[in-house]
Amino acid sequence: MQEPTWAHLQYEKPDFQAISYYAAPKNQKKYNSWDEVEPEMKEMMRKLGISMDEQQRLTGTAQVAVDFVMDSVSVATSFKEKLKELGIIFCAISEAIQEHPELVKKYLGSVVPSTDNFYAALNSAVFTDGSFCYIPKGVRCPMELSTYFRINEGGTGQFERTLVIADENAYVSYLEGCTAPVRDENQLHAAVVELIALDHAEIKYSTVQNWYPGDKNGKGGVYNFVTKRGICEKAAKISWTQVETGSAITWKYPSCILKGDHSVGEFYSVAVTNHRQQADTGTKMIHIGKHTKSTIISKGISAGFSNNTYRGLIKIGKNADKARNFTQCDSLLMTDTSGAHTFPYIECENSSAKLEHEATTSKIGEDQIFYCLQRGIDEEKAISLIVNGYCKEVLNQLPMEFAVEAQKLLEISLEGSVG
Amino acid sequence: MLKIENLHANIQEKPILKGLNLTVKAGEIHAIMGPNGAGKSTLASVLAGKESYEVTEGSIDFKGKNLLELEIEERAREGVFLAFQYPIEIPGVSNVNFLRTALNAKRVHEGLEPMNAKDFMALVREKAKMVQLDTAFLSRSLNEGFSGGEKKKNEIFQMAVLNPSLCILDETDSGLDIDALRVVAAGVNQLRNKDNAFVVITHYQRLLDYIVPDFVHVLQDGKIVKTGDKNLALELEEKGYDWLKA
């Protein structure tokens, strides 16, 4: 297989022989409860902007179950017992392979086969861990499930695998967060996420991605080559929401195969690039069933010398009668030296389908900033207000507590970026 | 409160203000009138600190501070408020969120605690009532889709909440129907007190029927060429500006 070269990205190809494909945290330890987690790791999570203690205090009860994947190993899964009472399985995928082989065998690779693309093949060959989630028939998962990924060791890649299955009439909201410390060399992250929404099920999958983006001059940073795809059976719904601020290179297209009649796919995205970052991201909506519906809202923000590309495919199959798509892609330029690009592809084989595409590109308004300043709001805060306003439709899709974190992240990513 | 001496300002190398003098004391309302291109809006922009204007000569003293040395946001926090001729739209940012951010920036500058949500909402409801701004506008995106009159009302509303000491109204009357004009003027009249001052920039005498100025200045070719009381505005309405040309 060959690495894909069609993306609007320029980078030095990773040396696949030089990567460590497995790294485990030095003091490997299993945790029975959140209290047992070392303060150091909690601190790490706080740095990620997620304070579990605070969330637990705020909500009165624990509302978020977390699986924490560091380097290649899942190190902590919380609230497993509580979820078990409802029949929900939420664990490391390495554990699921041993404990629930029937589910893993049935669904793993069913949406993203190992032959799908270069990076999916690489992931399929080398992944050692990741997260697994199964929601049984008719169960509405009462809390947010979330996974945190972190690349810690130098010279390692991370190749985690996520499999989420919502059985008939089930509902789950799933969030993943990513981070990596500052390193000079480029690190590779090649993950695969598969979502399966059976009849009338709904999966909401949110990502806050903050992998190390490299320094101002483009040295270091994570190469984020990720394949994410979900399949919707009859009247099922999959909603992808992503806030992408990190990585030197982002190459990802969370997609929906709308196989069942009346199924719904959604994609809400904010992608921020600053300095020398490059992002080529978007979605694919594959309409196969009748009366299938998809919505795409993409907001790109480019600052510094970065390039930000939206790439999307809407495919309407010949049996997809009355399929509908609405696409809106907006680009906001913060500087004269950054770029915004849009590559929308539409393939329609059914004349009863209805498709809409709206796109805008604008530069952040000096007038808007002046207006804020004149009211006493400083420039950083003004930019954050304007940008958050611009991204509101997407941020509104995130679970509340994470929306606040995402706003902060946008603020940090764009510090001092207007030129 | 405000003392402008021999102010010269350029935009893109072109001189607009050419030796303007103006003294405004607390409790006063000053109207600035004059033909198109005389430099009225330039004066407003220079006071606010807009960067595209370059001050080449002169001084501006505001409450004992050198205004020209302050950043735009510092001037605002010190109490300079500009009601925009064309208020800016910021999609996705609610009116109240914007205003709360602004108010708290000012309060922190004054060494006060940020205002809590409950007190803030009580304050904005009271002030919205004053300018007859429907409370539905509070949660709407800032100025987005507002009519011309609503935008102007919203400026006066912001002014009421932020309670500045120097209020500059840049052609607030332009594009207003007579009812909106009355509402805006009534708002200004309620806000005026012995501690604040207003500089009202206008083309027409009409606004001054409702906001009665203590002084009327005629700005022509970058200078104040005549100063009088409210009767000067009536005279200008009748005679135009040409008779003042040297």
Side-chain angles (χ1 to χ4, degrees):
Chain A
M1 282 180 111
Q2 293 297 312
E3 285 171 68
T5 52
W6 41 261
H8 188 75
L9 301 168
Q10 287 179 327
Y11 59 95
E12 215 169 288
K13 298 269 177 293
D15 178 356
F16 292 101
Q17 296 307 322
I19 297 169
S20 292
Y21 287 88
Y22 180 81
K26 287 186 185 88
N27 295 317
Q28 205 182 331
K29 203 174 157 187
K30 281 283 167 193
Y31 303 91
N32 296 317
S33 78
W34 185 252
D35 295 336
E36 287 179 24
V37 176
E38 281 103 348
E40 210 182 3
M41 192 174 292
K42 289 185 180 173
E43 180 56 32
M44 197 189 278
M45 298 207 60
R46 252 188 296 279
K47 280 184 191 155
L48 294 178
I50 308 295
S51 154
M52 292 300 301
D53 293 341
E54 195 181 356
Q55 278 173 35
Q56 289 175 13
R57 200 171 55 237
L58 282 175
T59 51
T61 52
Q63 292 291 323
V64 184
V66 178
D67 185 19
F68 196 17
V69 179
M70 190 146 92
D71 292 331
S72 307
V73 177
S74 175
V75 291
T77 305
S78 56
F79 304 112
K80 209 191 287 182
E81 291 306 310
K82 196 175 169 183
L83 293 167
K84 210 172 166 185
E85 289 168 22
L86 293 161
I88 295 169
I89 305 164
F90 179 47
C91 64
I93 202 160
S94 56
E95 194 183 325
I97 290 165
Q98 307 211 355
E99 307 285 323
H100 310 282
E102 69 294 347
L103 287 169
V104 175
K105 276 184 192 162
K106 187 170 176 191
Y107 292 109
L108 192 75
S110 67
V111 192
V112 182
S114 59
T115 50
D116 192 81
N117 67 70
F118 184 87
Y119 292 104
L122 182 66
N123 174 284
S124 301
V126 305
F127 84 84
T128 44
D129 221 329
S131 284
F132 175 84
C133 170
Y134 171 79
I135 315 290
K137 270 182 198 175
V139 171
R140 216 185 139 80
C141 185
M143 61 179 85
E144 305 285 340
L145 299 185
S146 74
T147 305
Y148 281 89
F149 298 105
R150 182 175 175 86
I151 306 177
N152 232 19
E153 290 292 309
T156 54
Q158 180 146 322
F159 307 91
E160 86 279 356
R161 186 94 184 191
T162 303
L163 179 60
V164 178
I165 304 151
D167 212 325
E168 291 169 23
N169 289 301
Y171 167 84
V172 63
S173 171
Y174 195 96
L175 185 123
E176 61 169 17
C178 321
T179 189
V182 174
R183 294 206 179 278
D184 282 347
E185 78 266 33
N186 294 111
Q187 289 174 301
L188 179 64
H189 174 243
V192 171
V193 175
E194 293 177 277
L195 308 184
I196 291 113
L198 298 180
D199 292 359
H200 299 276
E202 180 177 351
I203 302 174
K204 203 171 148 59
Y205 196 100
S206 314
T207 303
V208 176
Q209 186 262 109
N210 187 28
W211 295 116
Y212 177 56
D215 69 7
K216 276 189 180 172
N217 303 312
K219 194 168 168 53
V222 171
Y223 286 174
N224 194 29
F225 297 99
V226 174
T227 305
K228 293 182 167 180
R229 197 175 301 151
I231 188 161
C232 289
E233 298 292 345
K234 202 171 89 190
K237 179 177 173 183
I238 289 179
S239 182
W240 297 100
T241 304
Q242 56 172 26
V243 175
E244 305 274 317
T245 61
S247 299
I249 306 283
T250 299
W251 177 96
K252 73 178 246 198
Y253 315 90
S255 304
C256 298
I257 300 170
L258 303 172
K259 183 181 161 208
D261 293 350
H262 297 277
S263 58
V264 176
E266 294 175 339
F267 176 74
Y268 298 96
S269 169
V270 170
V272 180
T273 52
N274 199 354
H275 306 306
R276 302 278 172 180
Q277 278 177 277
Q278 301 174 63
D280 191 311
T281 185
T283 183
K284 289 191 280 186
M285 293 290 175
I286 313 294
H287 292 252
I288 297 169
K290 295 174 176 50
H291 298 277
T292 46
K293 204 175 134 191
S294 61
T295 304
I296 299 170
I297 309 279
S298 163
K299 305 271 182 180
I301 301 165
S302 336
F305 295 86
S306 67
N307 270 300
N308 204 323
T309 300
Y310 168 81
R311 185 185 302 276
L313 169 69
I314 312 298
K315 190 178 165 76
I316 312 283
K318 55 181 182 297
N319 296 322
D321 294 344
K322 303 265 172 79
R324 286 215 51 182
N325 164 263
F326 173 76
T327 301
Q328 183 186 332
C329 35
D330 298 328
S331 308
L332 187 68
L333 296 167
M334 308 291 283
T335 57
D336 295 336
T337 47
S338 54
H341 316 269
T342 306
F343 300 99
Y345 301 85
I346 292 172
E347 293 173 20
C348 185
E349 296 172 10
N350 186 308
S351 59
S352 67
K354 196 171 160 192
L355 292 94
E356 290 171 74
H357 183 96
E358 289 179 13
T360 65
T361 303
S362 51
K363 187 161 188 298
I364 191 160
E366 280 171 24
D367 287 349
Q368 290 179 333
I369 294 173
F370 176 67
Y371 193 63
C372 294
L373 291 173
Q374 210 297 308
R375 296 299 183 253
I377 299 167
D378 63 50
E379 181 158 328
E380 298 275 303
K381 191 80 203 162
I383 291 165
S384 140
L385 268 179
I386 296 165
V387 168
N388 276 307
Y390 167 79
C391 301
K392 200 175 181 185
E393 284 165 280
V394 175
L395 297 177
N396 280 349
Q397 299 295 326
L398 286 175
M400 240 258 280
E401 55 271 48
F402 299 111
V404 177
E405 302 302 337
Q407 284 191 11
K408 280 190 204 149
L409 203 55
L410 289 179
E411 218 165 291
I412 295 164
S413 309
L414 290 168
E415 251 168 33
S417 62
V418 167
Chain B
M1 173 175 300
L2 180 72
K3 194 172 172 70
I4 305 174
E5 282 181 329
N6 191 31
L7 184 67
H8 288 69
N10 294 352
I11 181 161
Q12 290 166 348
E13 311 277 304
K14 188 176 177 243
I16 307 285
L17 299 180
K18 303 167 185 170
L20 185 139
N21 295 299
L22 180 68
T23 302
V24 177
K25 294 200 181 80
E28 293 176 350
I29 295 185
H30 290 245
I32 310 267
M33 301 182 76
N36 290 327
K40 301 191 297 297
S41 286
T42 299
L43 175 62
S45 297
V46 168
L47 288 171
K50 200 165 185 182
E51 275 150 4
S52 42
Y53 294 86
E54 189 199 356
V55 174
T56 52
E57 221 185 311
S59 66
I60 306 177
D61 178 285
F62 175 64
K63 297 198 290 193
K65 290 201 167 85
N66 180 355
L67 192 73
L68 296 173
E69 275 181 1
L70 299 179
E71 297 291 334
I72 305 166
E73 65 272 27
E74 291 169 341
R75 297 178 191 200
R77 291 172 198 161
E78 285 287 326
V80 175
F81 184 96
L82 173 63
F84 281 56
Q85 185 177 1
Y86 304 107
I88 308 296
E89 299 184 1
I90 306 186
V93 177
S94 75
N95 218 356
V96 277
N97 184 20
F98 175 75
L99 205 45
R100 192 169 173 209
T101 309
L103 182 69
N104 284 335
K106 191 176 180 219
R107 287 176 65 94
V108 168
H109 177 76
E110 289 165 351
L112 299 168
E113 288 285 305
M115 193 179 268
N116 68 45
K118 190 167 160 269
D119 292 348
F120 177 75
M121 285 316 291
L123 177 73
V124 295
R125 287 217 176 84
E126 180 206 323
K127 302 297 182 187
K129 208 170 164 187
M130 196 174 104
V131 291
Q132 296 179 25
L133 189 75
D134 193 317
T135 46
F137 283 92
L138 299 178
S139 51
R140 277 176 56 179
S141 284
L142 185 61
N143 292 325
E144 195 189 27
F146 287 26
S147 73
E150 287 157 356
K151 283 183 182 171
K152 296 295 175 71
K153 269 194 208 173
N154 201 33
E155 293 291 286
I156 304 301
F157 165 64
Q158 291 181 23
M159 190 195 272
V161 172
L162 296 174
N163 193 26
S165 42
L166 177 65
C167 309
I168 305 155
L169 276 63
D170 188 7
E171 301 201 18
T172 298
D173 52 338
S174 69
L176 284 190
D177 63 38
I178 200 77
D179 292 331
L181 186 74
R182 281 197 187 119
V183 170
V184 164
V188 170
N189 287 329
Q190 285 182 70
L191 287 176
R192 82 177 287 193
N193 61 45
K194 64 175 176 27
D195 299 318
N196 62 17
F198 289 78
V199 173
V200 180
I201 293 167
T202 181
H203 262 294
Y204 304 107
Q205 191 271 331
R206 196 178 61 166
L207 177 67
L208 305 180
D209 286 341
Y210 301 101
I211 302 174
V212 180
D214 299 299
F215 299 93
V216 173
H217 308 276
V218 178
L219 182 60
Q220 205 160 17
D221 195 26
K223 273 189 231 171
I224 285 172
V225 295
K226 193 166 177 68
T227 294
D229 62 9
K230 62 179 196 285
N231 293 317
L232 178 59
L234 291 167
E235 203 177 340
L236 290 168
E237 184 81 356
E238 197 182 314
K239 296 189 191 164
Y241 296 108
D242 277 350
W243 63 280
L244 287 166
K245 274 195 179 149

